[in-house]
Amino acid sequence: MVPRMIVGLAMTAAAFFFAGRRSLLLYRLGRAGQPVEPGRIAIGARAWADLGEVLGQRKLFRWPMPGLAHAFVFWGFLVLALTLVEGYGALFQRDFHLPVIGRATWLGFTEDLFVLLTMVGIVAFARLRLWDRPAATGRRSRFFGSHLGAAWLVLFMVFNVLWSLLLYRGAQVNTGNFPFADGAFLSEAVARVLRPLGRTANDLIETAGLLLALGIVLAFLVLVVHSKHLHIFTAPLNVAFSRRPRALGALLPVYCAGEPVDFSDPGDDDRIGRGAIEDFTWKGLLDFATCTECGRCQSQCPAWNTGKPLSPKLLVMGLRDHALAQAPYLLADDRDAGARRPLVGKGGVVEPDVLWSCTTCGACVEQCPVDIEHVDHIVDMRRYQVLVEGAFPAEAAVMLRNLEHAGDPWGRGARERLAWTVGLPFEVPVVEGRIPDDVEYLFWVGCAGALDSRGQRTTQAVAELLHEAGVGFAILGGAETCTGDPARRIGNEYLFQTLAQSNVDTLTAAGARKVVATCAHCFNTLANEYPQLGGRYEVVHHTQLLARLVAEGRLVPVAPVDATVTYHDPCYLGRHNRVFAPPRDILAHVPGARLAELPRSREQSFCCGAGGARMWMDEPIGTRINENRTDEVLAQRPDLVTAACPYCVVMLADGVALRQQQGRAGADVEVTDVAEVLLRSVRAPAVPVAAASEPGGPQR
Ligand code: SF4
Ligand code: SF4
């Protein structure tokens, strides 16, 4: 009794010393981060988040098999923590049992059941890792770049914990020290195997098994705090302190030391964006420490899937490794001491091509089971590069200059913003002063909707449908400028603030209350980001409004559009804002239209490649994202390709035009907005789709 108590306590003291030393370092490293923005720490919402995502494993279950395997192991750890308490108790008293419930049959059964389920879980994990080996599948493996050796070691250690636990419990049954008379079916099975060895051997096996089980658990504890399995402890915290409802939709304003930076009068010491690892908040550092290296983000990333160097997983892992490497410097009294590796730059922690490959599509954030906020970190690093270093892709400079001088990315200017109204069979009211009382919606046309030829057709279609339904609407005409979305997402927060404030002032002066937008990016910015500048409106996307008008019978699609139709979910409408049903509802009401869902749709939609200001940057590395998406679309053999955002329509039309030039069979299809399909059905006699499609590529 005494020797096993001494050995058990000595092992525990040693493990706690090494794990504690490491935990203290990690804690101090986290404390070295900047404060978070106000409002992030709200305990009630956090507890709910943890219940659903951590205890309920909500996000993990999106991938059923790996999700179930993880849930078995996770729940197994929770239940088997009780056996750890029993084991420590048995160091002091061999027939120890938990108070109150300690001898209940159901407890013995539950503990053994979770030994079994955890074993099933680790076998499933092993199977997954063998099936999706980077050595066999290369970049397509979600584990590409993950620390696979550590993952295998952990599986092996869990396996060892399980069998040593059963060994100890089985021997306990034979020595009469087992707390349960019934229910522990696995322990009893092991006991039957050990029984012929006799009492003395079972005494020895009981002690050896107990010390072995405790020793492996303690070694596991030390390993966990030194490896990616740290997420066992940090994931509940990371989920609890993540942005709610999710780190999608709005970007955060620029914060310095927990306070928003006033771009009209920035302080001398204000740090803009993230230019060094210590510029990240403690939540950012916690994000990096929490990555499980599962690769779910990587598997969905359009940049990674088209051969770019950006993998959200590898980005986060690189920042974590850098933070740890910088720990001595960050925790030193003299922070200026020591050579620094640049955060972004050639030979830096993040290569420029990695940073600028991101489309801010949010697929990584959507997938991450531990709520890491990749897009926020990427944009924060871009902000530093653009506003402090002046380092960004040269092609984007033209777009930024145009935004500054003309208020739109193409530099066409205010005078051309009314061109789309020419030729409409009714007059489109332009707001002068206050919005008249008979006008229900301010129609936010957007730069592409006003200035791009394809966007103009969508704008005309929406205007005609609103007119047909008797919805009063008006436009700002030349008083509208870019919402600032591309400026914000490329990292030029100063320019975003300038454009956005000007628009908010215009909308406020006009007395706007309800706004309808056709561009998914405008919709997102107006609805989610203008409130940061005091602009609060009821913003709807045109598909939401049109679907409602159809449902209310104010628009009646009657003419058949006999076509197989695909629908591409724009990232900023779907994933960022959860608008999935309205475009599908519209298509469902169009007689003859048959929706062919794309394999990657709704939350898992694949980006068109235009977001994050990528629309105005070259794409020289890998294959083009829009071609990847176009091939997926064409594989459905559609007659009509639809989207609900002018950016997506342009990118898909570009892809279709290229495939047409290459002579691909089935590429002779029209790319259009859902609104145009509805208009065709509401107003026109049946038009064969082939006759409605036009030759040639889109206009950029
Ligand atoms: S936002 Fe999209 S493109 Fe950017 S890292 Fe995440 S998945 Fe990749
Ligand atoms: S960032 Fe999230 S999704 Fe990506 S590997 Fe890490 S834990 Fe997995």
Side-chain angles (χ1 to χ4, degrees):
M1 193 60 205
V2 173
R4 82 175 185 181
M5 186 171 71
I6 292 171
V7 174
L9 291 180
M11 287 191 308
T12 306
F16 271 68
F17 171 76
F18 290 114
R21 198 175 58 167
R22 177 72 170 186
S23 302
L24 187 62
L25 172 89
L26 294 171
Y27 172 73
R28 290 179 62 215
L29 193 54
R31 290 284 307 262
Q34 301 296 317
V36 291
E37 76 282 0
R40 194 181 270 269
I41 303 171
I43 300 302
R46 310 292 154 209
W48 274 115
D50 267 354
L51 272 182
E53 284 184 33
V54 180
L55 278 184
Q57 305 273 284
R58 184 176 62 81
K59 280 178 126 180
L60 283 151
F61 274 122
R62 285 184 186 166
W63 296 32
M65 283 315 293
L68 199 60
H70 192 276
F72 282 168
V73 174
F74 172 73
W75 293 331
F77 265 74
L78 295 184
V79 172
L80 297 182
L82 295 175
T83 64
L84 196 61
V85 178
E86 289 166 348
Y88 268 100
L91 285 179
F92 300 91
Q93 179 189 330
R94 290 187 63 172
D95 62 349
F96 174 85
H97 62 84
L98 295 171
V100 186
I101 57 171
R103 291 191 180 280
T105 300
W106 64 262
L107 181 62
F109 173 78
T110 307
E111 287 176 351
D112 274 19
L113 177 66
F114 274 93
V115 170
L116 183 64
L117 292 179
T118 308
M119 193 69 88
V120 170
I122 61 169
V123 170
F125 273 138
R127 165 92 177 73
L128 279 170
R129 278 174 171 71
L130 288 172
W131 177 64
D132 191 11
R133 272 176 309 140
T137 50
R139 279 173 66 105
R140 277 185 291 122
S141 167
R142 69 180 167 104
F143 301 117
F144 185 96
S146 300
H147 291 99
L148 293 176
W152 280 112
L153 179 60
V154 165
L155 288 184
F156 182 61
M157 289 186 88
V158 177
F159 170 73
N160 285 327
V161 170
L162 296 175
W163 72 254
S164 57
L165 183 66
L166 281 179
L167 188 72
Y168 146 66
R169 284 162 70 91
Q172 260 197 327
V173 174
N174 292 336
T175 57
N177 293 320
F178 197 49
F180 309 104
D182 210 354
F185 60 99
L186 278 183
S187 306
E188 285 162 13
V190 174
R192 281 194 288 277
V193 175
L194 298 178
R195 197 161 297 139
L197 300 177
R199 169 75 197 216
T200 310
N202 273 282
D203 272 341
L204 277 173
I205 292 171
E206 180 190 323
T207 299
L210 171 63
L211 292 177
L212 197 59
L214 290 180
I216 298 168
V217 168
L218 290 167
F220 185 62
L221 174 70
V222 176
L223 177 73
V224 160
V225 294
H226 285 83
S227 73
K228 66 145 185 153
H229 287 84
L230 185 62
H231 78 267
I232 291 172
F233 298 122
T234 55
L237 290 173
N238 208 52
V239 170
F241 291 113
S242 60
R243 264 215 280 151
R244 292 286 141 205
R246 64 189 85 85
L248 291 174
L251 283 173
L252 292 172
V254 174
Y255 283 93
C256 177
E259 298 293 331
V261 172
D262 178 1
F263 277 89
S264 61
D265 183 23
D268 290 344
D269 296 333
D270 280 354
R271 290 191 69 87
I272 312 290
R274 316 286 182 233
I277 196 72
E278 64 267 32
D279 292 341
F280 287 93
T281 63
W282 59 258
K283 173 60 174 63
L285 297 174
L286 186 61
D287 268 2
F288 308 151
T290 304
C291 178
T292 68
E293 303 183 16
C294 69
R296 289 171 185 236
C297 55
Q298 180 174 285
S299 73
Q300 307 286 306
C301 175
W304 182 258
N305 278 294
T306 53
K308 317 285 188 291
L310 166 64
S311 149
K313 176 185 76 178
L314 299 179
L315 178 82
V316 169
M317 286 168 61
L319 290 167
R320 175 196 61 199
D321 293 346
H322 179 60
L324 286 169
Q326 292 292 310
Y329 155 78
L330 292 176
L331 302 179
D333 291 337
D334 178 11
R335 282 192 162 200
D336 291 332
R340 309 298 309 280
R341 187 178 169 208
L343 190 69
V344 178
K346 284 278 172 222
V349 182
V350 179
E351 288 285 326
D353 282 335
V354 169
L355 191 64
W356 298 110
S357 290
C358 179
T359 67
T360 68
C361 72
C364 46
V365 178
E366 176 73 37
Q367 284 297 326
C368 183
V370 291
D371 283 356
I372 288 172
E373 299 168 354
H374 316 70
V375 176
D376 288 356
H377 301 318
I378 288 170
V379 172
D380 275 336
M381 287 188 281
R382 286 183 173 186
R383 285 168 167 166
Y384 185 86
Q385 291 304 306
V386 172
L387 294 172
V388 180
E389 299 286 343
F392 55 91
E395 324 87 80
V398 179
M399 178 270 288
L400 291 173
R401 232 182 357 257
N402 287 336
L403 286 181
E404 240 172 277
H405 298 305
D408 67 78
W410 294 281
R412 303 267 289 277
R415 269 178 306 150
E416 292 193 41
R417 282 190 176 265
L418 285 170
W420 66 272
T421 61
V422 177
L424 284 178
F426 54 89
E427 196 175 328
V428 178
V430 180
V431 175
E432 286 169 9
R434 303 281 296 177
I435 296 172
D437 287 344
D438 61 341
V439 168
E440 187 180 359
Y441 281 96
L442 189 284
F443 182 7
W444 186 271
V445 177
C447 300
L451 303 168
D452 174 80
S453 62
R454 284 181 186 278
Q456 284 175 338
R457 263 176 275 161
T458 303
T459 309
Q460 288 170 338
V462 173
E464 288 195 54
L465 287 164
L466 295 182
H467 182 73
E468 178 91 19
V471 175
F473 71 95
I475 59 171
L476 290 173
E480 187 185 298
T481 63
C482 174
T483 56
D485 162 85
R488 188 170 231 199
R489 274 149 187 89
I490 205 170
N492 193 334
E493 182 71 5
Y494 171 74
L495 183 54
F496 165 75
Q497 299 272 342
T498 307
L499 291 164
Q501 194 60 63
S502 156
N503 283 324
V504 168
D505 292 346
T506 305
L507 289 165
T508 305
R513 288 177 298 109
K514 290 178 162 186
V515 181
V516 58
T518 55
C519 171
H521 301 262
C522 295
F523 166 66
N524 178 64
T525 306
L526 288 161
N528 300 322
E529 298 188 337
Y530 279 16
Q532 295 168 357
L533 297 162
R536 290 187 171 77
Y537 323 104
E538 184 187 324
V539 186
V540 291
H541 187 254
H542 71 284
T543 54
Q544 292 175 299
L545 180 54
L546 295 178
R548 202 175 75 214
L549 294 173
V550 170
E552 289 171 355
R554 293 170 69 182
L555 289 173
V556 184
V558 284
V561 176
D562 184 19
T564 299
V565 184
T566 58
Y567 173 67
H568 159 87
D569 287 279
C571 302
Y572 274 87
L573 185 64
R575 203 156 33 230
H576 281 271
N577 283 289
R578 292 292 186 273
V579 179
F580 298 119
R584 292 175 169 81
D585 290 346
I586 292 171
L587 292 171
H589 277 89
V590 173
R594 300 172 297 281
L595 179 64
E597 282 285 5
L598 297 172
R600 295 177 289 189
S601 64
R602 297 176 187 263
E603 286 94 343
Q604 288 174 7
S605 179
F606 192 74
C607 182
C608 72
R614 291 281 336 158
M615 179 94 164
W616 291 275
M617 295 182 220
D618 291 338
E619 200 177 330
I621 307 174
T623 54
R624 291 181 62 87
I625 294 173
N626 67 328
E627 290 175 32
N628 183 302
R629 185 58 160 169
T630 300
D631 289 339
E632 181 181 356
V633 168
L634 294 179
Q636 305 306 307
R637 302 193 160 279
D639 304 304
L640 263 178
V641 176
T642 69
C645 169
Y647 284 27
C648 303
V649 169
V650 165
M651 297 305 275
L652 291 173
D654 264 356
V656 165
L658 182 73
R659 292 295 180 252
Q660 283 173 2
Q661 283 165 19
Q662 293 168 342
R664 176 176 166 154
D668 192 17
V669 293
E670 182 188 4
V671 182
T672 190
D673 189 280
V674 170
E676 293 175 65
V677 181
L678 178 62
L679 179 66
R680 207 171 289 174
S681 181
V682 164
R683 197 189 55 184
V687 179
V689 168
S693 67
E694 63 175 64
Q699 181 187 331
R700 293 279 289 270

